[in-house]
Every structure is written in C-alpha cells, then in structure tokens.
Amino acid sequence: MQPTFTYQTGGALKRDYQGYVERPADTELFDSLRAGEFCYVLTARQMGKSSLKVRTIQKLRDIGWQCVDVDITSFGSRDATAEQWYFSFLSDIANVLDFGDAFEDWWEDKRRFTPVKRFSQFWTELLCTRTKGEIIIFMDEIDSMLSLDKAKFSTDDFFAALRSVYNDQADNQELRRIHFCILGVAAPNDLMDDPARTPFNVGKAIPLGNLQIQDIQPLVEGLEGYQVPAHNILKETLQWSGGQPYLTQKLCEALSKQAEIKDAQEAVQEAVQFLFLSPGKLNEEANLSNVKRRVEADAPYQTAILSAYNKILKEGHLKLDLRKTEQIYLKLTGLVREEDSQLILNNAIYGEVFGLGWWQGIWESLERPFESELRNWQKSNQNPDFLLRGEALQQHIQWANGREDVTPEERAFLETSRKAETDRIERQQKRLRMGLIVAGFMVAMTVGFAIFAYNQKGKAEELRNIALGKERIADSLFSIADSLREELAGENTQLIETNNRLTVAEQELQIALDTTKDARKREELQRIQALFQKGKAEEFADSLNKIREALRINNFAEQLKETNPSLAMRLSEY
C-alpha cells in the first residue's frame, strides 16, 4: 500500500489529484469548445461532471482562455425574481473578469429594460467591449433552475436568450469569442418546455461514460503493496461498480484501508456488502439515495420509467430509443447505461440494491386505478369480460388524459375497453330502435282492431271497453319500450324477450296479409312487411294509416274466423 495516496469520493476532484481518470469525454469536450461548439454535459449525478469541468478549465487556461465558472446553486432562494437572478448571474461573470463598478453602473443605466433584454445586451455592450481573447462561461448545476418559481422566473426566457446569443455569433465576429458549456442533471427538453416556443436545439452533447479497465491505471497506486496484484483488485472492483466513478472510488478507498488482502474477489465482495448492501444503506449511502430520489422525482414519467427498467431487469437489455422521454429520464437516474445501442443495467451493485424486489415495492406503491382489471384482462388472454365499461371506463379515460406516465399496456387496455363499449352501445341502440318499431306497429294494430270491433258492434259500451283495452295495451307497449331503453345499462337478457315480441308481431302482420283478398291492399301490406323486416322506423310511421285502412274490411271477421279462429276469439273480447 501507498499511504500517501488518497481516494476522493465526493465533490469535484482537485486539479492536482493523482487519481483522476481521463475518459473520451475529456478530449471531446476540450476539442469541441475550441472549435466554437456550444457544449452541454447532461447526465446522472456523481458521474464526474464537475471534475471534468475542473480539468477542462485548467487545460483551456493553459492555452490562454479566460474561464468563468458560474455555479447556479449559489444564487440561493428558489423564490428569486427575474431581476435578482439575472443580476446575480451576470455579476458573477463581471467579478471574475474584473469589471469593477462598470457592471453595476451599466445595469442601472439599463433599468428601463427588462432583465431578459439586459441579459441579451450584456454580451455585446459590456463583455465584448471590455475583454479580449476567448472567454468560456461554464454553467454548472443547471438543473437547479428547473425548481425556480415559474411565476417569478421563466427558464424558457433565459434559454431562449442564451440561444439567441449563440445564434448571433454567425453575424458578429466579436461574439464568436464567447463560448458556453452547460452541466447538470437534466434532459435538453427540460430546458425549454413551453410548447409554443422552439425547443433548446443548439449545442453538442458530450457523453460521459463509465471508467474502463484500460483507463484506470491512476487508481492502481492506492492498492499496491498487498499479496494480490493491484490490477486484479481493480478488475474485481469494476466487476461490481461497472466503472461508475463514485462507486469505483468508494470501493477503492475502502479496499486501500484493509490491513491485508489475500483474495481479491472475497475482499471486494465484503466491501460491497458493507458499503452498499447492508440494511439501511439505501437511505444512508449518498449515491444510492440520490438514485432512489431521482426515480421518485420524475413523477410525470415514473410509471413509464419503471416499466422500461422492469424490462431491463427481466430481459437484460432494452433497445435504445431516445425519442422516448422515459428512456432519457431513466438514463438520468444512473440506473442504466448505453452500450451498443441498448440500455443495460449500469452495474452489479445497482442490480442488487435496485433489483426486482425493490422494483415491485415501488410499483405497488404507485396509484394505478385499474391495475387489477388490467392484470385480469392480461391473464385471461384478453377476455372481453374483464374490460372496463360504463362510468368506470369514463373515469379512467379522464384520469389517463394528458398523463405522460401511462404505460403502453395501460393505453392498449383503455383503448380496447373504449372500442368494446362503443360497439356495445351501438348494438343496444339498434335494439332499442327496433323495439320502438315493434311497439309502434303493435299500437297501430291495436288501434286497427279496435276500430274494426267498434264498426262491427256499434255499441257505446263496447266503445268504452275498446278505449280501456287500448289504454291497457298502450301502457303495456310503452313499458316494453322503457324496458328496452334500460338495456343501454346492460340488461342484455331482455334481448330474448324482444326477439319473441318481434316474432309475434311478424306473425300477426302475416295473418293480415293472408286474409286480404284485395290486390291493392295486399300489395300495400307486403310493402309494409318489407319495411318492418328492414327496421326502417321512419318509413314505417307513414304507413300506419294505411294499416288501419287495410284492416277495415267488411268481411274481415268472417274470413278471420275461417283462417285463424283463435285470433278471431281474441278480437271479439274487445
């Protein structure tokens, strides 16, 4: 062991720290800034963003650039007004560049303008006129802006103005001396979320990957002096940490303090157990608790994030598609990393801590209002009996409307339920229309029979009986119509009764047709029968008077006694 070597497990690594591991991002960021690119490093916490910034600043200063490091979190309260926020931001730049009182004088002279306007004018009117050479502005912890009070400060205005400064460089030679780099835990779409404005679509993303075995020679020094070669210990360490910078440094620090190491695998496993897997570590250990909070913080996408993560846990990978917002936010949690156009578990430590057991607990704590119905539908091979319907369906559609965290499975379930409900209502409405046609036809038949009986008997008493009979039958028929309407609420059993009534109505119409000798009336009855069979209620209503005419046949009763004595007996009761 080398007791003079110490590992650093928190905060930005010092410029002279001998254990700093360079990654491809170091070269890419430096070269891109020198080429005039607007760069951003947006990734999960404790991936080494600040350390990368410190190293890049040193390299840029070595070539003569002026560097300004603006820490957004230093501005304080989330309740800051736009006036306070822009003044704090620009005064930090002015102080580093030694503007003296010039900045505050300029700010006061521009008080008639909005803070955003002053911000936009600052670069050309003050910075460019008072400086020479290349200037780089680093903006760290940019995600802290997202928690500002939207009523007092518009992040959309800030990033739109920043983009405008960058775009103006195309026509302004002096502005090309000013460069920008943004760092934080955010997605580019977070920076401007007003759908009425153009997204923040400038700049170059600098990916910051895990440490690789071929690059970690700087960490070897602190693990030398044991019976086991330091390289073997590091190799075993990366088997657990996956090269995640914080986890790797943390493990190396713990291992470097061991009195002796005889078996690399055993030593690393014991350290992992003590540091990350023992009870309570999920909430106590900084990195683990940060990951947990990040998953819980992305509330609008939490379900979609967990669904995607569940697939990775079960299948080992998920095809990368950064058009899907949940994948972007899943990467920002740090749980997964990109490899060969796939998302995979970041490391074995996360696999143990944030495995299926943890996932199940988080998932069950979410409020998914139709979880049981969805699962029953899936388990039953999508049996329609388990679909949502009626008021419950409408409530759940309203719940899902506009939400970003509705999973594809949930959307498919709701859409299938909606379509099935629409089809069911259309079928019931069709049965209702047919039932009303039947009711209208039977009322017309009753009226016709009543008129016939009245003409045959000509007695006032019989007329009264006829009227009473009509009312009773009409009441019965309207009850039938009401019951048919109730089928819209799901009373499907009445379908059989409706079919029976249709059969009776067709039989009685056929009797009238069979007993009519007159060709003209017979032709008219045949047309009415065709209309009935087609269910055309609008045309049927126009034919009711013709039905009455067709039934006013003087010899109807006699013919009816011969062809259908039982029906004739029923008519005589009126």
Side-chain angles (χ1 to χ4, degrees), residues 394 486 539:
Q394 298 307 316
E486 291 177 2
E539 296 185 31

Side-chain angles (χ1 to χ4, degrees), residues 285-438:
E285 212 295 318
N287 181 269
L288 302 182
S289 60
N290 279 334
V291 172
K292 178 175 176 287
R293 280 197 298 270
R294 183 71 198 188
V295 173
E296 295 170 347
D298 291 320
Y301 302 95
Q302 191 175 29
T303 301
I305 290 172
L306 287 170
S307 294
Y309 183 57
N310 186 42
K311 291 181 180 179
I312 294 173
L313 287 176
K314 290 182 176 179
E315 300 175 14
H317 60 87
L318 179 66
K319 184 177 180 181
L320 180 67
D321 185 355
L322 294 182
R323 294 172 299 178
K324 296 182 177 180
T325 307
E326 67 271 16
Q327 290 196 15
I328 297 175
Y329 285 117
L330 179 57
K331 287 185 66 178
L332 289 176
T333 66
L335 283 171
V336 302
R337 58 187 169 88
E338 181 181 344
E339 185 175 289
D340 298 329
S341 299
Q342 300 283 332
L343 289 180
I344 63 173
L345 190 65
N346 199 343
N347 54 72
I349 293 174
Y350 289 169
E352 290 291 326
V353 178
F354 303 104
L356 285 172
W358 171 84
W359 180 91
Q360 188 66 35
I362 293 293
W363 185 262
E364 290 176 355
S365 70
L366 301 179
E367 294 184 4
R368 314 309 296 175
F370 49 90
E371 178 71 15
S372 60
E373 291 90 342
L374 171 59
R375 296 297 168 232
N376 289 334
W377 180 65
Q378 291 174 328
K379 291 177 182 178
S380 67
N381 197 25
Q382 300 186 354
N383 187 328
D385 291 342
F386 290 100
L387 293 172
L388 297 169
R389 61 190 299 180
E391 184 178 351
L393 172 61
Q394 298 307 316
Q395 289 176 348
H396 292 137
I397 288 177
Q398 185 176 3
W399 172 86
N401 187 34
R403 293 179 67 101
E404 299 285 352
D405 64 338
V406 182
T407 66
E409 293 82 2
E410 288 174 331
R411 290 196 183 280
F413 180 59
L414 288 175
E415 177 59 23
T416 304
S417 296
R418 185 199 62 77
K419 187 177 184 304
E421 181 74 350
T422 300
D423 293 343
R424 185 179 69 85
I425 291 175
E426 288 179 352
R427 289 194 303 270
Q428 291 177 338
Q429 288 177 337
K430 184 176 182 180
R431 290 199 300 272
L432 175 60
R433 289 193 296 269
M434 180 59 72
L436 292 175
I437 291 173
V438 174

Side-chain angles (χ1 to χ4, degrees), residues 463-479:
L463 180 60
R464 185 179 70 82
N465 292 336
I466 290 170
L468 291 174
K470 284 196 301 179
E471 290 177 5
R472 287 194 300 271
I473 294 175
D475 288 343
S476 176
L477 292 172
F478 287 123
S479 294

